[in-house]
Amino acid sequence: MLAGQCTEILDLLIIGGGLSGLMVAHDYHHRPPATSPTTTKPSWKLLEARQVLGGRLANDDQGRKIDLGGAWIWPHHQPNLKHLLPQILNEEISTFAQPDDPSSTRIDGGAVALIHALSNDLPSENIQLNAPVTKCTRVKLDSESSASHLIEVETSSTRSSQDDDDRDTADHGDSSSTSQVYRARQVVIAVPPKLISKHIHFEPPLSTAKQRAMEASHTWMAGVTKVSLVYPTRFWTQPTNNSTINTNMGLPTHLGPAFQVYDASTRDGSVAAITFFALVSPESEAASNDKVLAKLVTNQLAQVWAYFEYDKEVVDQLQNSYLEVHIKRWPLETYISEDPAPRRIHPHPHPVPALAAGEWDGTLLFAGSESDQESPGVMEGAIGAALRVLQEIP
């Protein structure tokens, strides 16, 4: 693709290739013709700033199918994920109970399996990777046009080196983008609001309420580093001192960088893994050394297990028997996190109506999990936000 302006006027342009953006693209692409079989199919494209699709959903890079991003579904109060996705994808999304917390479930193959299922059912030529959007401009057309305005979307060819080492997400679409201007009748931005305010300039400016809401928002999970350790066996499932080992719990942060841990093993038991959520100090050696970080989190959990008086042999296995270390440092992802050196994990987001409101007479719409008014920040919210904007797209 050459630098310059795209002559085609798209019916819809989607910015953001995470779960919400792909959900919009999938539904829009597979809509039946509006009037008759001879009706021209609506035109659309999806632009993704990174080298891969998936947003905050990613697996390890060795095919172990370990979630290193969003992972859980709570079926009792997340109806979109439980019922809607299998209907839209025309297949069952296989889930299984979290080994140490049956109230939640995980997805076979990792949550990124949703990204693969959606993107594999879309034409690759409609998806442009490595295309960070820098500007959206509302342009008035001449009076003879069927619409009074279009939106021009400018992209940059700037490339993040961090994206070159991304884990198992969805590598789908054209990644050879250079600077480009796209024109569309309607635009959906499925990007965390904080990043919209940081990376995209709007002309004319968005409403004051929208700007303030985006600037005040925070991207859920963006400050987290996930650490997953693979072991020869799930030794922690064997009782010790007549008690069951607890692998799903919050951790005292004065003992180390992790604040939560859970059993990340696969359903079939072929991979035995423990995963930690951590907030890593930017000054610590662990900020750039995976081995050091792995040692810190295992020592941290070992102190907790020792407090519960688990067998010394079990504690020793935790600290010394892991075979692989898989780490995803989300703060270093330019188009995921607004802060590469976070010092706190922000609270879970709450619904903010201004984040969901459209702009420019409904031609500029906002999806993305944080904009959802029911379950912001999680996968359920990503789908909910997509369903909301799809109702506003003719």
Side-chain angles (χ1 to χ4, degrees):
M1 184 179 293
L2 300 176
Q5 181 166 303
C6 180
T7 56
E8 179 185 12
I9 297 177
L10 300 166
D11 293 304
L12 181 67
L13 182 65
I14 302 159
I15 301 171
L19 180 56
S20 197
L22 285 169
M23 189 76 183
V24 173
H26 189 273
D27 184 279
Y28 189 73
H29 180 73
H30 290 284
R31 281 182 176 179
T35 56
S36 71
T38 59
T39 303
T40 303
K41 196 170 182 66
S43 58
W44 66 273
K45 280 191 179 294
L46 183 148
L47 307 178
E48 166 56 44
R50 301 164 72 225
Q51 286 292 100
V52 290
L53 299 172
R56 284 164 277 175
L57 304 183
N59 278 1
D60 67 281
D61 60 356
Q62 293 187 27
R64 304 298 191 202
K65 298 182 179 180
I66 299 171
D67 284 299
L68 291 178
W72 290 313
I73 298 172
W74 288 268
H76 295 299
H77 57 274
Q78 293 188 333
N80 290 329
L81 277 165
K82 182 179 180 181
H83 300 298
L84 191 61
L85 264 178
Q87 295 173 19
I88 290 177
L89 299 176
N90 200 26
E91 62 182 48
E92 284 296 325
I93 299 297
S94 180
T95 61
F96 63 101
Q98 170 64 32
D100 42 21
D101 178 14
S103 68
S104 61
T105 62
R106 298 210 318 268
I107 298 171
D108 274 330
V112 78
L114 298 177
I115 301 301
H116 289 304
L118 288 166
S119 61
N120 289 341
D121 200 28
L122 293 171
S124 60
E125 62 270 19
N126 286 42
I127 298 175
Q128 181 66 61
L129 303 177
N130 189 33
V133 171
T134 57
K135 186 176 182 180
C136 291
T137 306
R138 195 180 191 205
V139 179
K140 185 173 178 59
L141 299 179
D142 59 68
S143 58
E144 296 181 0
S145 254
S146 59
S148 60
H149 291 81
L150 291 177
I151 299 177
E152 290 188 348
V153 175
E154 299 181 28
T155 67
S156 165
S157 59
T158 302
R159 175 174 181 170
S160 169
S161 60
Q162 179 69 20
D163 290 336
D164 292 337
D165 189 35
D166 263 306
R167 318 286 170 151
D168 179 14
T169 47
D171 187 2
H172 185 90
D174 182 6
S175 61
S176 59
S177 174
T178 59
S179 299
Q180 184 77 20
V181 177
Y182 297 86
R183 306 172 75 202
R185 295 180 178 87
Q186 201 164 25
V187 171
V188 173
I189 304 183
V191 174
K194 189 78 167 187
L195 299 181
I196 297 174
S197 68
K198 180 177 180 179
H199 293 291
I200 304 177
H201 174 73
F202 294 90
E203 186 62 44
L206 302 181
S207 65
T208 300
K210 174 71 78 174
Q211 292 183 59
R212 287 176 176 171
M214 291 194 305
E215 290 167 3
S217 69
H218 294 286
T219 307
W220 182 239
M221 282 285 295
V224 171
T225 293
K226 286 193 81 170
V227 183
S228 190
L229 307 178
V230 176
Y231 290 87
T233 64
R234 293 176 66 214
F235 63 88
W236 54 88
T237 62
Q238 302 302 316
T240 174
N241 288 345
N242 297 317
S243 62
T244 302
I245 296 176
N246 190 356
T247 53
N248 190 342
M249 59 180 168
L251 295 174
T253 53
H254 68 278
L255 297 178
F259 56 90
Q260 188 174 353
V261 63
Y262 68 95
D263 185 337
S265 305
T266 55
R267 181 213 289 261
D268 62 7
S270 61
V271 176
I274 296 177
T275 291
F276 299 81
F277 292 82
L279 175 64
V280 183
S281 169
E283 291 85 18
S284 73
E285 186 181 358
S288 57
N289 189 314
D290 289 355
K291 291 182 179 179
V292 170
L293 180 54
K295 184 61 67 176
L296 286 177
V297 297
T298 51
N299 287 347
Q300 184 179 357
L301 184 56
Q303 291 179 70
V304 174
W305 283 6
Y307 174 81
F308 288 128
E309 298 183 345
Y310 295 157
D311 288 342
K312 184 178 182 303
E313 180 183 348
V314 170
V315 176
D316 182 69
Q317 283 183 278
L318 169 71
Q319 293 180 287
N320 301 307
S321 71
Y322 55 86
L323 306 173
E324 300 172 9
V325 177
H326 302 283
I327 295 180
K328 185 65 173 178
R329 300 176 185 271
W330 288 106
L332 300 184
E333 294 284 348
T334 302
Y335 296 109
I336 297 292
S337 173
E338 66 266 17
D339 184 1
R343 297 186 179 277
R344 61 174 295 212
I345 300 299
H346 294 284
H348 195 282
H350 59 276
V352 178
L355 295 178
E359 297 275 332
W360 298 351
D361 298 324
T363 59
L364 182 62
L365 304 175
F366 296 83
S369 182
E370 276 73 19
S371 74
D372 185 53
Q373 299 302 290
E374 298 292 335
S375 301
V378 295
M379 289 185 281
E380 176 78 0
I383 298 173
L387 294 176
R388 169 177 47 79
V389 301
L390 282 162
Q391 294 177 353
E392 302 178 56
I393 299 171

